[in-house]
Amino acid sequence: MDRPSLTIKTRVGTVRATASPRQGDSVVFELGGAMRGSVHVTGTHHPHHWDQFTAVRACLGPVNAFQTTAPGDALPRLARSRTGYRGSLTLYRDDADRPEVTVYPMQSAAEHDPSEKTAAVLTAVMRACAEHIAQRDDLPEILDASRQRDTPALLRFLTWSAAHHQAEAARYEREARAAHPARRAAVTGWWTVA
């Protein structure tokens, strides 16, 4: 089977990213050249529409960073560096059908922020891998598998969130009712003084 390979020009040199065969809802790119390691790309929900699985997420490392953490020695690093980095980005289309990218914080395995130059390289590599997946013929299958994977957790979160906010609303209502006599007394006192 042909393994697609990307050539990504970056500020530190050329990075080659070779796609592995799709595994259900994801593709892992092996990196070579100016960067070593891998990038995990999967489908995800649109950042503004939790129920629409139309976005692509790229994570530094061989695993989905939203499900598990890659060990420090498996994190991507620049070819002449020993420092591996964690981070991810989401590629999606806005309401005008233009591509948008949201980059999530990147940190080294030791929890240090990358330099501006390193962050630019990591972002460029993740974006190129995500854009490649967004153009693939099997994108609908990737997105559908991602929807099946993530929907139960999203529904649990929404159920918890709805219950939490209903409890907060009930608490505010109780506090407002408890404050009502004090408000009435304050208004009466103000009119008496006036």
Side-chain angles (χ1 to χ4, degrees), residues 80-135:
R80 293 189 177 101
S81 174
R82 297 176 59 158
T83 305
Y85 290 94
R86 290 185 174 91
S88 65
L89 68 71
T90 300
L91 174 70
Y92 59 97
R93 310 294 287 184
D94 68 10
D95 293 336
D97 203 33
R98 294 180 303 241
E100 291 285 330
V101 172
T102 300
V103 179
Y104 300 95
M106 291 180 268
Q107 287 191 322
S108 71
E111 298 185 4
H112 298 291
D113 294 338
S115 69
E116 184 179 320
K117 181 178 177 181
T118 300
V121 172
L122 297 170
T123 300
V125 170
M126 285 191 292
R127 183 171 184 154
C129 293
E131 286 174 344
H132 174 78
I133 296 301
Q135 300 300 317

Side-chain angles (χ1 to χ4, degrees), residues 111-193:
E111 298 185 4
H112 298 291
D113 294 338
S115 69
E116 184 179 320
K117 181 178 177 181
T118 300
V121 172
L122 297 170
T123 300
V125 170
M126 285 191 292
R127 183 171 184 154
C129 293
E131 286 174 344
H132 174 78
I133 296 301
Q135 300 300 317
R136 284 177 51 144
D137 292 338
D138 61 349
L139 177 64
E141 288 87 3
I142 292 171
L143 295 174
D144 188 53
S146 299
R147 180 187 54 76
Q148 290 177 21
R149 177 199 69 220
D150 286 350
T151 297
L154 284 169
L155 290 174
R156 282 191 302 274
F157 169 76
L158 290 171
T159 300
W160 169 85
S161 180
H164 173 75
H165 288 90
Q166 286 172 344
E168 285 290 297
R171 182 175 64 85
Y172 291 137
E173 180 66 28
R174 285 190 305 275
E175 289 174 3
R177 269 191 252 121
H180 189 68
R183 181 188 58 84
R184 194 176 344 193
V187 169
T188 301
W190 184 86
W191 281 109
T192 302
V193 170

Side-chain angles (χ1 to χ4, degrees), residues 25 40 42-43 57 59 61-70 149-150:
D25 68 341
H40 183 279
T42 187
R57 182 175 55 236
C59 301
V63 296
N64 183 345
F66 284 70
Q67 291 182 323
T68 187
T69 302
R149 177 199 69 220
D150 286 350

